[in-house]
Amino acid sequence: MKRFLPFAVCLLLLLLGISSQAQKNAAAQKLAKKFSLKTTASAGTNAQQTAQKAVSSLTRHTAAARKAALRNQAQRSLFIVGSDTNPAPATGFVIEERFNGKSFLWGVTAAHLIDAYEAPFMMFMIDEQPMGFDAATVVKGHRDGADIALLLLPPQAAEWVKPLSISRKTPKTGEKTFSIGYAAGVFKQVQNRELLETNPFRLVTSYEMRHTPRRGYCGSPLLNAQNEVIGVHCGSDLQEHHAAWRSDFKKLKMPAPDVSLAVPVQHISDLLAQYRLGQYRGIPLKAGNIFIGALLPHQHIMQVAVIKNNRLEQAVNGGPFVDPTRLERFLTTAGADGLLVTVYDPAEQEKQIIEYIVNFKTARVEKQTRTLSGKPPFSFRVRKIK
């Protein structure tokens, strides 16, 4: 059902810097009443005037961007996602699904944001007015895997919103991309995001947000030069974060710059197949020509290690540059007996570690699962290859 949201009010009031909780509550009630579909505007009170100024403030913030054609479409394609219990904003966008001859509209955002919300809703700024829709269904991956959540829009939303086009082409390293979304509640377009790495698990772009507020930008679409979505922005990885993969790059004498990350759009199709057909599609895990298994949307690679003479000779940590379809990358496999590929699966009631032992001589793969308590990192066991 279409509704105008208290969350939108909180965001607008935050922009104005209203400090009193009583003022916030009073203005929120008045603004919700003013924009209700069932209520006409009434005589202005101080709270109503404050709410009107909040709308005008947001209008001023986005006026310049709305002049661009992309911004005009973005008003109906982008939304702010949140909940009544958690007003922290995030970004999402609309796509269209065709299933059994019918059209369905889905909101797409980042899974790690939805985990923080109860009864999430989607708020659009249409004709400079907030318009919201409840999320009828939520399908999601995992923040360390396919960091995507899908929110089913009600049929009546088709009158108001416009889906973005999904790219059918595989993006290539060196391409210049851009993203659009709401940073701290204000529309922001980030240009010149060069693709540094493209693999089925992550798209890695240059970090172009040094002078841009990042709060709320996760869930934004990453687009190519044809304005087609190629990924879902899921965060940035800076040197100050000291991610484990950076130490691997240091050992390999490779640059490890600040980067931004996106989940490839193929994961949207995988999640829809899981919802519609009960099929758990995943990314193929491969080392050379050896097929190892599939990396499901809620799983991620923890470590890939070379086994030689029943010892771990070399290992790299999972990260955005580890390509699931080229697991031998960054490793010296000449003369090695095989690989130990460790995958973390948090979806089960008791978190699991999946170990794939790849035998280079026989091209056989042994799979073993261990149930663990607690959180990673865990100690890795050396496995014998016969």
Side-chain angles (χ1 to χ4, degrees):
M1 178 179 178
K2 180 171 59 177
R3 64 188 177 97
F4 296 100
L5 306 169
F7 165 70
V9 182
C10 293
L11 181 60
L12 297 174
L13 296 177
L14 180 62
L15 292 174
L16 285 176
I18 298 178
S19 57
S20 166
Q21 189 61 49
Q23 285 179 299
K24 291 179 182 178
N25 294 338
Q29 294 172 1
K30 293 295 184 180
L31 184 59
K33 180 178 179 181
K34 172 180 173 58
F35 287 119
S36 172
L37 295 175
K38 300 180 180 179
T39 306
T40 58
S42 57
T45 63
N46 289 337
Q48 286 176 316
Q49 292 171 358
T50 300
Q52 291 169 349
K53 289 179 180 178
V55 175
S56 298
S57 176
L58 185 59
T59 300
R60 288 194 300 271
H61 274 285
T62 60
R66 278 198 306 274
K67 293 179 181 179
L70 184 61
R71 175 65 180 96
N72 291 333
Q73 177 177 330
Q75 284 189 312
R76 296 180 182 271
S77 301
L78 295 182
F79 58 86
I80 294 174
V81 60
S83 72
D84 293 329
T85 57
N86 187 348
T91 300
F93 60 95
V94 180
I95 63 164
E96 181 183 21
E97 175 205 20
R98 299 291 299 180
F99 182 73
N100 283 346
K102 297 181 180 179
S103 175
F104 298 87
L105 294 176
W106 291 86
V108 182
T109 188
H112 73 268
L113 301 170
I114 291 298
D115 289 340
Y117 298 140
E118 295 180 9
F121 55 70
M122 294 160 275
M123 191 273 284
F124 296 80
M125 289 300 298
I126 297 177
D127 296 331
E128 302 180 8
Q129 294 186 5
M131 178 177 293
F133 300 95
D134 292 317
T137 302
V138 178
V139 184
K140 64 185 182 70
H142 189 270
R143 65 174 302 149
D144 294 322
D147 192 0
I148 292 177
L150 304 178
L151 316 176
L152 184 61
L153 280 154
Q156 59 267 35
E159 179 183 353
W160 303 97
V161 305
K162 183 176 181 180
L164 292 174
S165 297
I166 300 293
S167 175
R168 304 301 177 188
K169 298 179 180 179
T170 302
K172 297 181 179 179
T173 302
E175 280 188 45
K176 289 294 182 69
T177 67
F178 68 99
S179 54
I180 52 176
Y182 291 104
V186 178
F187 177 82
K188 186 67 179 180
Q189 182 172 338
V190 180
Q191 297 278 11
N192 298 319
R193 292 181 60 172
E194 181 179 353
L195 287 173
L196 306 177
E197 166 73 15
T198 63
N199 65 63
F201 180 69
R202 286 291 185 269
L203 301 178
V204 184
T205 77
S206 56
Y207 181 64
E208 306 294 341
M209 303 182 70
R210 285 180 175 80
H211 306 293
T212 300
R214 301 200 310 271
R215 184 172 177 265
Y217 205 72
C218 283
S220 300
L222 182 68
L223 301 108
N224 60 21
Q226 290 73 45
N227 292 346
E228 298 170 329
V229 181
I230 62 171
V232 182
H233 178 81
C234 61
S236 296
D237 191 329
L238 309 184
Q239 296 184 49
E240 62 196 53
H241 298 160
H242 303 293
W245 65 268
R246 294 183 179 277
S247 62
D248 295 332
F249 273 41
K250 184 177 181 180
K251 294 175 184 177
L252 294 168
K253 297 182 179 180
M254 296 176 59
D258 292 340
V259 295
S260 291
L261 308 174
V263 182
V265 290
Q266 177 59 41
H267 290 278
I268 296 176
S269 298
D270 293 343
L271 288 172
L272 287 174
Q274 176 182 323
Y275 172 68
R276 297 293 189 189
L277 307 174
Q279 297 178 353
Y280 284 81
R281 298 177 182 172
I283 305 170
L285 289 172
K286 296 180 66 177
N289 295 323
I290 303 175
F291 175 78
I292 298 170
L295 188 70
L296 299 181
H298 52 275
Q299 300 173 342
H300 69 273
I301 297 169
M302 293 182 64
Q303 190 185 65
V304 184
V306 173
I307 301 177
K308 188 174 183 180
N309 298 324
N310 294 322
R311 295 180 58 185
L312 295 183
E313 290 289 313
Q314 184 186 13
V316 293
N317 294 286
F321 288 88
V322 173
D323 186 341
T325 64
R326 294 189 296 157
L327 290 172
E328 74 282 5
R329 186 185 181 194
F330 306 126
L331 296 171
T332 303
T333 57
D337 300 319
L339 292 180
L340 172 62
V341 182
T342 310
V343 172
Y344 182 53
D345 187 340
E348 300 296 330
Q349 186 173 2
E350 294 188 50
K351 300 177 178 63
Q352 294 182 340
I353 289 292
I354 303 171
E355 293 177 327
Y356 296 96
I357 300 93
V358 185
N359 189 321
F360 285 161
K361 296 178 181 178
T362 64
R364 295 182 61 183
V365 178
E366 177 189 352
K367 177 183 176 181
Q368 297 196 5
T369 301
R370 296 188 283 137
T371 301
L372 298 171
S373 58
K375 298 181 179 180
F378 305 106
S379 59
F380 297 96
R381 300 186 297 174
V382 178
R383 302 304 306 270
K384 293 184 178 182
I385 292 182
K386 299 179 181 180

